[in-house]
């Protein structure tokens, strides 16, 4: 009997990536669009808070995700605020934020939070991939993929299947899969 | 009969500045420390949400404040996220964020939100002061004051009374005072 996960997202690319990675384990993912404003704060607090409110809103188990792009020279910022910087500044503006620094290294961080239902404490699954910030290369289809370089290729230049084997999201989903297998 | 305003803040410098500006109108300010995580989003939404939750938490009228520092070259960012950037990057790091740009102009934005009580719609009072971002000058006593230059002087270099006549916070408080006089 395949498991179905309710995943709160309105991002079709994210849904496709998560579905593709979990399909291999027979887990089907159903998306739910739910308008959930996010808190400011630490990655962990933001994800837990979002999962709790999502579980309350739908009255059942739910999965939420938060992606951060952390520039090491900026002590981890923009981090959880990356979506606002990406939206307002675009690829060039993000690259420019590191103009004053030699250190272009960055970490892509994906945090899934699973909450079993209203009042339950969410469980977190976090994947991190190290890379560096470069001028954009590859198709601009998915967020900041063109400026995040991993071992010589940007995420945008990589074959999707190859990216799904090393990405921050893949690593987090691996942990989620293990957990789901242990908690069927 | 002097009016008393409950102001949610744990920042002593902010309390002192607000008290000094409102004292001239016979309004006394009492601070309340309340741990209210802030949302991500627009300045206005963040302030309204915070005021609503504060009014619910204390069961009565309340004033909250949010300060943004908006870099024009960064389309208004870091904006509402300035406190995290200030905390993690300090003055030098903030100045560095504009290294790629000729345009060092910025706007200091202060938003007060007054909520009469649980379930009431907050009223906003917003003041904006134009300036530019410069390497730090003056005592590092109050947030990003040393790097925000207004007409040749940084906020930190200015006499407090002089700053309180042109600051973003002063402008917002002027509107609040007018409103309070009309709604005693």
């Amino acid at each position: 009997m395949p498991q179905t996960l309710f995943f709160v997202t309105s991002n079709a690319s994210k849904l496709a990536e998560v579905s593709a990675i979990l399909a291999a384990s027979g887990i089907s993912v159903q998306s739910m669009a739910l308008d959930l404003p996010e808190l400011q704060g630490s990655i962990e607090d933001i994800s837990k808070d979002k999962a709790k409110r999502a579980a309350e809103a739908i009255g059942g188990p739910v999965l939420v995700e938060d992606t951060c792009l952390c520039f090491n020279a900026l002590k981890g910022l923009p981090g959880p605020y990356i979506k606002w910087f990406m939206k307002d500044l675009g690829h060039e503006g993000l690259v420019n934020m590191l103009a004053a620094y030699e250190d272009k290294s960055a970490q892509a961080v994906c945090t899934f939070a699973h909450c079993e239902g209203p009042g339950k404490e969410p469980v977190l699954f976090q994947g991190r991939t190290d890379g560096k910030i470069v001028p954009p290369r590859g198709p601009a289809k998915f967020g900041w993929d063109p400026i995040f370089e991993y071992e010589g290729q940007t995420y945008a230049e990589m074959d999707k299947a190859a990216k799904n084997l090393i990405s921050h999201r893949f690593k987090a989903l691996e942990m989620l899969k293990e957990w789901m297998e242990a908690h069927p």
Side-chain angles (χ1 to χ4, degrees), chain A:
Chain A
M1 185 76 170
Q3 284 180 277
T4 299
L5 252 186
F6 289 99
F7 177 35
V8 176
T9 187
S10 54
N11 184 322
S13 303
K14 228 176 237 188
L15 175 67
E17 205 175 279
V18 170
S19 298
I21 292 173
L22 288 180
S25 303
I27 298 165
S28 79
V29 177
Q30 192 169 325
S31 74
M32 304 202 64
L34 200 60
D35 186 28
L36 287 177
E38 289 175 3
L39 288 188
Q40 299 182 35
S42 75
I43 302 178
E44 291 74 17
D45 287 348
I46 292 171
S47 295
K48 281 188 182 175
D49 170 78
K50 190 159 76 164
K52 282 181 187 175
R53 285 183 294 126
E56 267 158 37
I58 70 165
V62 70
L63 183 71
V64 302
E65 190 259 11
D66 205 49
T67 294
C68 298
L69 185 59
C70 304
F71 295 176
N72 293 331
L74 302 185
K75 310 269 173 70
L77 289 167
Y81 313 113
I82 182 62
K83 74 174 169 189
W84 309 102
F85 283 79
M86 176 62 207
K87 183 168 77 70
D88 288 351
L89 305 183
H91 296 137
E92 195 191 355
L94 287 174
V95 171
N96 281 345
M97 285 177 74
L98 290 175
Y101 303 92
E102 288 282 317
D103 179 7
K104 309 290 186 191
S105 67
Q107 202 172 45
V109 181
C110 174
T111 308
F112 282 94
H114 184 272
C115 186
E116 290 194 87
K120 303 280 185 174
E121 190 60 21
V123 186
L124 298 187
F125 309 91
Q126 194 167 75
R128 293 172 179 263
T129 295
D130 289 306
K132 66 178 189 177
I133 301 303
V134 296
R137 299 195 316 261
K141 285 183 189 159
F142 191 14
W144 40 261
D145 273 13
I147 61 162
F148 186 78
E149 186 186 274
Y150 172 80
E151 295 191 352
Q153 274 191 311
T154 66
Y155 266 5
E157 288 175 317
M158 295 176 80
D159 175 73
K160 257 190 194 153
K163 179 193 163 192
N164 283 353
L165 286 177
I166 58 90
S167 79
H168 54 302
R169 193 165 289 118
F170 167 75
K171 291 173 187 168
L173 284 172
E174 279 296 290
M175 295 178 219
L176 173 66
K177 278 198 298 190
E178 269 179 41
W179 183 85
M180 287 190 71
E181 281 158 20
H183 300 76

